[in-house]
């Protein structure tokens, strides 16, 4: 039996898919921006001379990196409100979990980039009278950013794909809106094929940017 494709019916609800793309974009950008702040704070805590800060940061990183993101999202939405005795919206639970999750990876990327800078450069900056803050700002960070940029972009690309898991708590991102279109049109093959095309259209340019930076890094090395 030959399947008869019918994209026309799905295209009648294309505005719903575009809304899902918009929500996906918002959650991706929002969680990345918050994740950068969280990751930077966790990174500096890992590099701190205070053991309790290092322990706290390491515990946070391992908790979020070693448990599935889907479980974290469901726990934040269903279990955390019971634990705290408050109501948490699916929007808050989704954005908070995505941000903490990506922040745990950013922290390790930032830390690796900083530690990759030759130790002698820190010693040289101290020898010429630079403070620790000045050394970090003018000597260490410009080189560390170059080291961490490809990994940072790759993790951000993964973060866009991670937003599809918000479907589990009924947030109107692209995967959820695709299910809505499917229920309206009864054309799951066409609807999910269209969703795959839209994800590809968002992700392919980002992967090319990441590849570009990696090639530049290899040439400069």
């Amino acid at each position: 039996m030959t399947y008869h494709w019918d994209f026309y019916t799905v295209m009648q609800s294309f505005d719903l898919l575009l809304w899902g793309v918009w929500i996906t974009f918002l959650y991706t950008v929002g969680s990345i921006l918050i994740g950068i702040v969280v990751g930077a704070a966790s990174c500096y805590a890992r590099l701190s001379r205070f053991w309790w800060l290092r322990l706290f940061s390491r515990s946070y990183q391992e908790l979020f990196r070693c448990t599935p993101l889907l479980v974290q999202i469901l726990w934040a939405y269903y279990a955390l409100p019971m634990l705290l005795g408050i109501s948490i919206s699916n929007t808050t639970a989704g954005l908070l979990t995505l941000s903490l999750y990506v922040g745990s990876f950013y922290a390790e990327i930032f830390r690796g980039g900083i530690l990759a800078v030759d130790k002698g450069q820190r010693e040289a900056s101290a020898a010429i009278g630079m403070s620790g803050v000045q050394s970090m700002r003018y000597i260490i960070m410009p080189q560390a950013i170059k080291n961490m940029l490809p990994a940072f972009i790759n993790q951000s690309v993964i973060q866009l794909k991670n937003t599809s898991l918000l479907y589990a708590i009924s947030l109107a991102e692209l995967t959820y809106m695709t299910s809505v279109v499917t229920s309206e049109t009864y054309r799951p093959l066409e609807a999910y094929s269209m969703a795959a095309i839209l994800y590809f259209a968002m992700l392919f340019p980002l992967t090319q940017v990441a590849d570009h930076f990696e090639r530049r890094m290899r040439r400069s090395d």
Side-chain angles (χ1 to χ4, degrees), residues 31-42:
S31 62
I32 286 174
L33 292 176
I34 298 172
I36 289 172
V37 175
V38 172
S42 179

Side-chain angles (χ1 to χ4, degrees), residues 43-51 53-54:
C43 168
Y44 283 112
R46 283 289 303 274
L47 298 173
S48 170
R49 65 178 182 272
F50 301 109
W51 67 268
L53 272 178
R54 296 196 302 270

Side-chain angles (χ1 to χ4, degrees), residues 139-153:
I139 305 297
I140 307 302
M141 285 309 298
Q143 299 176 73
I145 289 172
K146 178 184 175 182
N147 294 333
M148 68 180 68
L149 197 56
F152 174 83
I153 295 174

Side-chain angles (χ1 to χ4, degrees), residues 19-172:
W19 178 253
V21 169
W22 174 243
I23 297 300
T24 294
F25 173 78
L26 290 180
Y27 274 93
T28 301
V29 173
S31 62
I32 286 174
L33 292 176
I34 298 172
I36 289 172
V37 175
V38 172
S42 179
C43 168
Y44 283 112
R46 283 289 303 274
L47 298 173
S48 170
R49 65 178 182 272
F50 301 109
W51 67 268
W52 54 273
L53 272 178
R54 296 196 302 270
L55 177 62
F56 178 79
S57 176
R58 180 67 181 271
S59 299
Y60 150 68
Q61 284 184 247
E62 296 303 331
L63 175 64
F64 280 89
R65 292 170 63 198
C66 298
T67 54
L69 177 56
L70 179 58
V71 173
Q72 296 171 20
I73 292 171
L74 294 173
W75 192 90
Y77 185 54
Y78 292 108
L80 187 59
M82 298 175 62
L83 187 65
L84 300 179
I86 60 174
S87 177
I88 298 178
S89 68
N90 58 350
T91 300
T92 301
L95 182 60
L96 177 65
T97 307
L98 283 177
S99 301
L100 292 175
Y101 178 81
V102 77
S104 67
F105 286 90
Y106 284 161
E108 197 60 25
I109 291 171
F110 297 161
R111 190 176 76 93
I114 291 171
L115 293 178
V117 177
D118 189 80
K119 185 179 179 181
Q121 302 206 32
R122 298 184 181 88
E123 296 171 349
S125 61
I128 62 174
M130 279 189 171
S131 66
V133 174
Q134 290 176 322
S135 175
M136 183 63 68
R137 179 179 178 183
Y138 296 111
I139 305 297
I140 307 302
M141 285 309 298
Q143 299 176 73
I145 289 172
K146 178 184 175 182
N147 294 333
M148 68 180 68
L149 197 56
F152 174 83
I153 295 174
N154 279 323
Q155 188 60 47
S156 299
V157 169
I158 293 171
Q159 185 70 355
L160 193 153
K161 291 189 285 187
N162 286 339
T163 60
S164 64
L165 297 177
L166 297 176
Y167 166 85
I169 55 174
S170 302
L171 278 170

